[in-house]
């Protein structure tokens, strides 16, 4: 008798005893093989997603307890969800160890406090914790709130307490946090995205219009060529990477890795070539030059769909490493000369022949002419022959029938040139016609499971949900704000979708303040804080270090481990009056005041920071949605109760808000209006339901919305969930907390919970979960067809014009009824309608990417322009320049990275992962080991100008010395998963070594390239 596993469960549920199984035809061997399933037969199955990386693998959690009221569920087994279209039942070593995360002995169970100067944690009740924290917050807010600036503009900001938001909490926790933080006037409000993929958003939005991964995990299988550079997908995103292997197996795709180390992706690649860390722009700029010089350009695509033909205004120039407009005293550019030349009607002038000396094409050609193959070898250390091989392979993609993709991650973002690393590759993909194509795109492999979602929700110092901008001091009133943030089209007949900014913004304000936001009070515009400067994580930490911050709330964030220069960070935390951590696990940040010998050498009695440690639920203990790297909002369900007294983030944030509101109602205080007027329509004010918040994220009609094309019809009736963002209004008749999520919970129900994995073509599964925007899976997919509406490649037909509208396997990322003859171009979010090779004034460090050395350079010069070695617009504070090392004292290059068995600093709390990778190590090449007398397994000490770590030495052939600018450069690999909390052997926080400098566009720190010395201990 053959039975499936599910049929077997049903049999078990019918109470058939094991003995009767034999009678039914089961052999004893079969019965034995099903032992585990007997246990599962009594279990509840709950669907969820792995909370670690942004592949977002599906998991099934098995718990005992039938979910009846008062029955305590307990998860005892987790496995991959075979129905999930990306993971298809697979889990990597991190996902496979999830059960050990849920039951980790390092889970927090009760609120605790460490009083100023104390050496111990003390258990307290939730009541006391919330009361004390709310009181401390109010005291600081009242003392330091800034109502007006010196020009009399209402700025309403609170900048003396920092709030760091989580990276893996649900969208619903994120949006509630956003609501409360902004109503308090917080501007020092940032998230993990700042230290990982900030540059992705900046680079991709600047080039294509949106900051997300362009394609999907499964779509990688449609590629003919896969470049992995600035990432190590096999190790950091193992299950997503299987689609690269699928492309190799099913269509013979070529896989090439460019990386400082021969890593695990390289181990399965067709070709590997080395590169010096921090020189990717030199390498990719070389590719741009080679493609132009060898005419390997998808000409029709480039002429129609990029700004190659647009003419740049007079005044723009690049000279000796500096673009026009540089102000040396400020270390900043005046970007006014980086723009188009406009005609009398405000449209950018063009030259379709691409011959005008100031056309983007000619400027780009001249800019990259310096990046010869010889220069690439000189700067990057990559052998010229290797570089030419890769350039040739990429050149083969400049035809409609061949498509290639790029997979990258933090190897590109965590540099002072992070944004421009990505920009260079985005330009290459435009030149090859690979954007919008199945199997193409620029695939930013996001890190944390919901860092995409939390970026979408604008939990960043100068953002609002849906990539709207938080007003700054120059936005003196609503009219000015909307005028400055709503772009005007600069080419005729373009959609310029951001022209709808007023609709998105007013709908957001209606979510914040409900009926209290009216036309007469500019929808509550003055209740939002206005920023005077960016309060990113580096800025906040700097202010803490200067003693100018009072408090810090860390929600699912471990800044002592995650921020650069751990010793500076430790000093910064010690200058705070109070700190709150909200986390399921014990973190190094919460315990920063404890002495752990050399790895955390502090004196508790000298540290006067009061620390509250609040236990929160983990992914398995809550409902909600997280957004994977492909922009899919996936709903997950609670499988068990949290341990001890742990609470959901939503409940903790709500309780804090309610307490603060009570205090302001009773006592008054600094500008309480935004708090007192905040819309709080939740059934249980102290515990809003995820469903309530998810519906708000989508938005609903506040009045009947009449169809402008037919006055007898309604687009939505009052009180209904909105069908999508096209219905949003700027007259207060709609509300939506995040316009790009409109469509995720409609009148038809929760679209994020959909589980139809039917392949609509090319691996596209539009019935699984829901993707922003508008359930489009491949962004810019109009560009997969030629200007006449015919797919460039009939085998990759994604959408096409059927004579009436755009149709196909994906939702058109385009105005669905705009015929090709109308001349609308595919990049609908850009005000030109085309992809940007020249980024006009959108980046802080130039409209074209330029190679600058890392702030700590192992060659001490820049062969392209020796007078401008590193990024002139870099983010650096005065005191940190003195904490930069020089190559004579620190002659080797250090670079940090992740291992497949660990996820940052979380999995060290899970037994399985702790067993798999128990002890801290660094990787050094054989040549360097020999020079320093180090052998396998020796303990070594790594020093940078900022501190040291000790670890075991792994001597390897995987890292070879490179010849750069005539000298030998050794690189050292530093995995970063250890610390002084967890189940692994204790170790040192790797970021002790990293410099406190950031990308000038996004302030993302330079963890990937710094100088160290090494010695045997
Ligand atoms: S860590 Fe990433 S690849 Fe591994 S199981 Fe989790 S989601 Fe999947």
């Amino acid at each position: 008798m053959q039975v499936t596993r599910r049929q077997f469960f049903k049999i078990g549920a019918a109470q058939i005893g094991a003995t009767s199984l034999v009678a039914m035809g089961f052999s004893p061997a079969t019965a034995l093989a099903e032992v585990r399933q007997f246990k599962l037969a009594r279990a509840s199955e709950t669907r969820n997603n792995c909370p670690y990386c942004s592949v977002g693998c599906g998991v099934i959690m098995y718990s005992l307890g039938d979910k009846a009221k008062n029955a305590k569920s307990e998860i005892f087994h987790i496995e991959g969800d075979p129905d999930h279209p990306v993971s298809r039942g697979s889990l990597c070593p991190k996902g496979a160890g999830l059960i050990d995360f849920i039951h980790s002995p390092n889970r927090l169970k009760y609120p605790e406090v460490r009083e100023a100067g104390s050496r111990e944690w003390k258990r307290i009740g939730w009541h006391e914790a919330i009361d004390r924290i709310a009181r401390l917050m109010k005291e600081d807010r009242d003392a330091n709130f800034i109502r007006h600036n010196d020009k009399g503009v209402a700025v309403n900001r609170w900048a003396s307490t920092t709030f760091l938001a989580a990276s893996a909490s649900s969208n619903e926790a994120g949006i509630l946090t956003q609501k409360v933080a902004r109503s308090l006037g917080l501007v020092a409000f940032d998230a993990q995205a700042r230290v990982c993929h900030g540059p992705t958003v900046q680079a991709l939005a600047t080039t294509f219009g949106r900051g997300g991964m362009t394609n999907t995990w499964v779509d990688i299988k449609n590629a003919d060529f896969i470049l992995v550079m600035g990432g190590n997908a096999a190790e950091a995103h193992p299950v997503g990477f299987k689609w690269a292997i699928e492309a190799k197996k099913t269509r013979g795709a070529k896989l090439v890795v460019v990386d400082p180390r021969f890593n695990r992706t390289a181990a399965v690649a067709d070709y590997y070539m080395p590169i010096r860390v921090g020189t990717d722009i030199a390498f990719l700029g070389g590719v741009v030059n080679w493609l132009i010089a060898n005419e390997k350009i998808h000409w029709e695509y480039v002429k129609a769909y990029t700004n190659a033909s647009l003419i740049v205004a007079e005044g723009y120039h690049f000279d000796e490493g500096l673009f026009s407009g540089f102000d040396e005293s400020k270390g900043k550019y005046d970007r006014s000369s980086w723009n188009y030349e406009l005609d009398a009607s405000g449209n950018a002038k063009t030259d379709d022949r691409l011959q005008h000396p100031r056309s983007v094409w000619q400027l780009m050609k001249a800019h990259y002419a310096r990046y010869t193959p010889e220069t690439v070898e000189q700067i990057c250390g990559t052998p010229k022959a290797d570089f030419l091989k890769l350039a040739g392979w990429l050149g083969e993609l400049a035809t409609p029938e061949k498509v290639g993709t790029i997979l990258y991650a933090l190897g590109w973002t965590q540099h002072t040139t992070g944004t421009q690393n990505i920009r260079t590759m985005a330009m290459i993909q435009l030149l090859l016609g690979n954007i919008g194509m199945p199997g193409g795109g620029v695939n930013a492999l996001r890190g944390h499971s919901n860092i995409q979602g939390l970026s979408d929700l604008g939990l960043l110092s100068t953002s609002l949900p849906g990539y709207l901008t938080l007003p700054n001091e120059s936005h003196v009133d609503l009219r000015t704000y909307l005028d400055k943030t709503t772009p005007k089209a600069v080419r005729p007949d373009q959609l310029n979708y951001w022209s709808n900014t007023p609709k998105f913004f007013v709908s957001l304000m209606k979510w914040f303040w409900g009926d209290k936001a009216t036309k007469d009070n500019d929808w509550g515009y003055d209740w939002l804080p206005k920023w005077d400067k960016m309060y990113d994580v580096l800025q906040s930490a700097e202010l803490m270090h200067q003693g100018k911050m009072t408090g810090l709330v860390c929600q699912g964030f471990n800044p002592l481990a995650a921020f650069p220069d751990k010793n500076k960070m430790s000093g910064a935390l010690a200058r705070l009056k109070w700190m709150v951590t909200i986390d399921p696990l014990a973190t190094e940040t919460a315990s920063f005041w404890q002495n752990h010998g050399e790895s955390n050498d502090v004196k508790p009695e000298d540290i006067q920071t009061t620390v509250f440690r609040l236990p929160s639920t983990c992914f398995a203990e809550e409902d909600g949605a997280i957004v994977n790297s492909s922009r899919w909002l996936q709903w997950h369900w609670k499988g068990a109760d949290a341990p001890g007294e742990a609470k959901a983030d939503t409940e903790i944030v709500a309780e804090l808000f309610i307490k603060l509101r009570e205090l302001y109602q009773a006592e008054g205080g600094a500008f309480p209006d935004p708090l007192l007027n905040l819309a709080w329509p939740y059934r249980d004010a102290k515990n809003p339901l995820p469903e309530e918040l998810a519906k708000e994220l989508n938005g609903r009609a506040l009045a009947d919305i009449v169809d402008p094309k037919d006055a007898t019809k309604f687009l939505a009736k009052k009180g209904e969930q909105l069908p999508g963002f096209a219905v949003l209004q700027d007259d207060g008749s709609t509300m939506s907390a995040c316009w790009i999520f409109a469509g995720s919970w409609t009148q038809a129900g929760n679209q994020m919970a959909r589980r139809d994995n039917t392949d609509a073509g090319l691996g596209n599964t539009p019935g699984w979960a829901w993707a922003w925007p508008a359930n489009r899976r491949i962004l810019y997919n109009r560009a997969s067809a030629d200007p006449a509406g015919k797919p460039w490649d009939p085998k990759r037909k994604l959408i096409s014009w059927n004579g009436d509208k755009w149709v196909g396997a994906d939702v058109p990322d385009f105005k669905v009824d705009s015929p090709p003859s109308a001349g609308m171009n595919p990049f609908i979010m850009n005000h030109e309608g085309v992809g940007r090779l020249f980024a006009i004034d959108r980046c802080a460090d130039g409209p074209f990417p330029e190679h600058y050395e890392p702030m700590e350079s192992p060659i001490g010069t820049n062969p392209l322009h020796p007078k401008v070695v590193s990024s002139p617009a870099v983010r650096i504070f005065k005191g940190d320049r003195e904490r930069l090392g020089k190559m004579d004292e620190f002659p080797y290059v250090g670079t940090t990275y992740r291992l497949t068995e660990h996820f940052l600093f979380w999995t060290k709390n899970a037994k399985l992962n702790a067993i798999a990778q128990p002890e801290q190590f660094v990787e050094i090449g054989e040549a360097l080991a020999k020079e320093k007398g180090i052998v396998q397994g020796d303990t070594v000490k790594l020093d940078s100008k900022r501190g040291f770590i000790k670890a075991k030495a792994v001597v390897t052939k995987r890292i070879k010395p490179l010849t750069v600018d005539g000298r030998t450069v050794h690189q050292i690999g530093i995995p970063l998963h250890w610390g002084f909390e967890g189940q692994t052997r204790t170790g040192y926080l790797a970021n002790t070594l990293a410099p406190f400098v950031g990308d000038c566009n996004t302030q993302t720190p330079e963890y990937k390239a710094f100088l160290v010395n090494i010695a045997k201990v």
Side-chain angles (χ1 to χ4, degrees), residues 632-648:
W632 297 5
L633 283 71
Q634 303 192 90
W635 192 261
H636 61 264
W637 288 266
K638 172 178 173 172
D641 296 320
E645 296 177 4
K647 293 187 181 192

Side-chain angles (χ1 to χ4, degrees), residues 50-57 87 90-96 98 236-240 903:
C50 174
Y52 293 127
C53 91
S54 68
V55 178
C57 295
S87 55
S90 313
L91 292 175
C92 79
K94 297 174 280 277
L98 278 172
H237 301 90
V239 178
F903 191 79

Side-chain angles (χ1 to χ4, degrees), residues 324-335 338 533 844 872-874 1000:
S324 46
F326 188 63
D327 182 337
E328 198 164 352
S329 63
K330 293 184 185 150
K332 277 190 179 151
Y333 282 102
D334 167 357
R335 300 180 232 172
W338 311 348
K533 61 184 172 208
V874 67
C1000 57

Side-chain angles (χ1 to χ4, degrees), residues 469-490:
T469 308
L470 183 73
N472 64 40
E473 289 195 342
S474 77
H475 302 135
V476 293
D477 53 29
L478 177 66
R479 183 192 291 246
T480 311
Y481 169 78
L482 291 178
D483 193 47
K484 285 194 178 182
T485 58
T486 307
K488 316 219 174 4
V490 291

Side-chain angles (χ1 to χ4, degrees), residues 312-318 323-325 334 336-339 341 358:
V312 173
E314 278 184 65
Y316 164 79
H317 59 83
F318 176 80
F323 293 91
S324 46
D334 167 357
S336 52
S337 63
W338 311 348
N339 230 312
E341 187 166 284
R358 280 187 281 110

